[in-house]
């Protein structure tokens, strides 16, 4: 854990969040500023700063982020309709929290190309 990291603190339950699901390696919670009817963030419990830091050592947890996001999409009833998964990485993509997080956005239609 990085003691200065907001999402490490959420994973450690030191900062409150609306938890959606938890596994041994992953925790998912509602984004505090939702951009769609569902906007859930899925994070590894382990501190990984961004997608640039994914290596063979964390392939399994990154796969689990995707699997659990799909589970939430199914449970909330928009899996067949469609949804968006996003890893913002560094400044040009607008990353603001430097603990790897997968955005699950669903419940509406999304434009392409993204803004
Ligand atoms: P990024 O821009 O880094 O890809 O996404 C960070 C996300 O974290 C944003 O969508 C923002 O709304 C969300 N966020 C930032 N601080 C908090 C917080 O304290 N609690 C929760 N639940 N979400 C947060
Ligand atoms: Zn962290």
């Amino acid at each position: 854990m990085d003691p200065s990291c907001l999402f490490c603190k959420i994973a450690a339950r030191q900062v409150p969040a609306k938890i959606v699901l938890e596994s041994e390696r992953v925790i998912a919670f509602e984004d505090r500023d939702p951009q769609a009817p569902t906007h859930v963030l899925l994070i590894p419990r382990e501190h990984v700063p961004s997608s640039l830091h994914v290596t063979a050592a964390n392939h399994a947890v990154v796969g689990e982020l995707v699997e659990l996001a799909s589970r939430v999409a199914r449970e909330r009833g928009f899996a067949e309709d469609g949804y968006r998964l996003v890893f913002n990485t560094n400044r040009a993509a607008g990353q603001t929290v430097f603990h790897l997080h997968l955005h699950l956005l669903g419940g509406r239609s999304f434009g392409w190309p993204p803004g």
Side-chain angles (χ1 to χ4, degrees):
M1 169 169 176
D2 174 345
S4 65
C5 170
L6 173 64
F7 285 180
C8 282
K9 288 181 195 162
I10 287 178
R13 304 292 192 109
Q14 291 167 6
V15 166
K18 285 188 200 159
I19 307 293
V20 173
L21 61 80
E22 290 188 84
S23 73
E24 200 179 309
R25 287 185 293 211
V26 171
I27 184 161
F29 53 94
E30 303 285 351
D31 196 292
R32 71 159 180 204
D33 182 20
Q35 302 301 313
T38 283
H39 189 171
V40 169
L41 302 174
L42 300 103
I43 67 170
R45 290 183 188 277
E46 162 195 30
H47 182 78
V48 178
S50 81
S51 66
L52 278 168
H53 299 78
V54 172
T55 67
N58 33 46
H59 282 180
V61 74
V62 174
E64 196 176 339
L65 296 178
V66 175
E67 182 185 357
L68 293 177
S70 323
R71 183 185 300 174
V72 174
R74 269 192 224 96
E75 285 172 0
R76 296 197 179 186
F78 55 75
E80 295 310 315
D81 208 27
Y83 56 94
R84 187 160 288 175
L85 299 179
V86 176
F87 287 111
N88 290 324
T89 302
N90 280 349
R91 183 190 50 78
Q95 185 177 5
T96 57
V97 178
F98 287 83
H99 179 127
L100 183 68
H101 49 282
L102 178 60
H103 293 258
L104 164 64
L105 297 144
R108 66 170 172 85
S109 296
F110 298 94
W112 194 264

